[in-house]
Amino acid sequence: MNYSHFVGLDVGKKTFDASLMSADEKELSHKSFDNTPEGIQSLLDWIAGYHLSLSKLLFCAENMGSYVTELSVSSVSMGFSLALVCPLTIKKSIGLQRGKNDRIDAKRIANYAVLDSRKLRLPHLNILQVFPYGEKRKLLHWLTKK
């Protein structure tokens, strides 16, 4: 898939930072959102403000375990491409860097997605197969409350 834009997501327990980047590695914007279904909808609304199609966007985040549960579920239910990458892989690809905060991390994740988008694998398994038991219950509860 050829993506025209990439969104790097630095996910935390309560919030996540998003960095929108074009394929030529230019950061277009940055914003923080709540790590909730409403926050993820706000992320998609923010993206829509740039008149970008979700089919031409690749969202990329470090796989932070339970912190990315809402994001993973939303990617399936809302129909956007999400690549979850091992944090060490991103760290090694960047090399030694000075400065660290959520905004910089989101930008570095977006930059990683731009440079390595052809290597990134998007999940194609049944989403329930990849969640631990406790998370499956949370996922099923979330899916059935709609």
Side-chain angles (χ1 to χ4, degrees):
M1 175 61 100
N2 290 329
Y3 297 103
S4 63
H5 291 81
F6 300 83
V7 180
L9 302 169
D10 184 44
V11 183
K13 184 175 184 177
K14 295 184 179 187
T15 63
F16 62 88
D17 282 64
S19 176
L20 176 61
M21 189 174 283
S22 63
D24 62 357
E25 300 180 54
K26 180 181 173 192
E27 185 181 36
L28 302 175
S29 187
H30 169 268
K31 194 169 179 181
S32 295
F33 301 92
D34 291 332
N35 193 358
T36 62
E38 295 79 18
I40 295 166
Q41 184 59 54
S42 296
L43 166 69
L44 297 180
D45 293 343
W46 173 67
I47 295 293
Y50 289 91
H51 307 290
L52 299 172
S53 167
L54 286 181
S55 65
K56 290 291 187 177
L57 272 169
L58 176 62
F59 293 79
C60 184
E62 294 177 327
N63 189 348
M64 301 302 291
S66 62
Y67 292 176
V68 295
T69 301
E70 290 291 346
L71 203 53
S72 298
V73 170
S74 295
S75 72
V76 172
S77 65
M78 296 177 179
F80 60 88
S81 299
L82 173 66
L84 296 177
V85 181
C86 173
L88 187 58
T89 302
I90 294 175
K91 185 175 183 179
K92 284 182 176 181
S93 77
I94 295 169
L96 185 61
Q97 295 284 320
R98 296 180 58 108
K100 180 172 175 17
N101 64 36
D102 293 340
R103 180 182 185 142
I104 291 171
D105 286 347
K107 184 176 179 180
R108 288 177 180 162
I109 294 167
N111 194 56
Y112 174 82
V114 170
L115 297 175
D116 292 332
S117 63
R118 296 196 187 274
K119 292 184 203 172
L120 295 176
R121 292 189 348 217
L122 301 177
H124 55 80
L125 299 171
N126 178 345
I127 195 165
L128 292 177
Q129 293 175 341
V130 297
F131 282 95
Y133 178 72
E135 295 299 316
K136 284 182 187 177
R137 286 185 26 201
K138 185 191 296 185
L139 174 62
L140 288 171
H141 174 72
W142 186 86
L143 288 173
T144 56
K145 74 178 183 179
K146 290 195 167 218

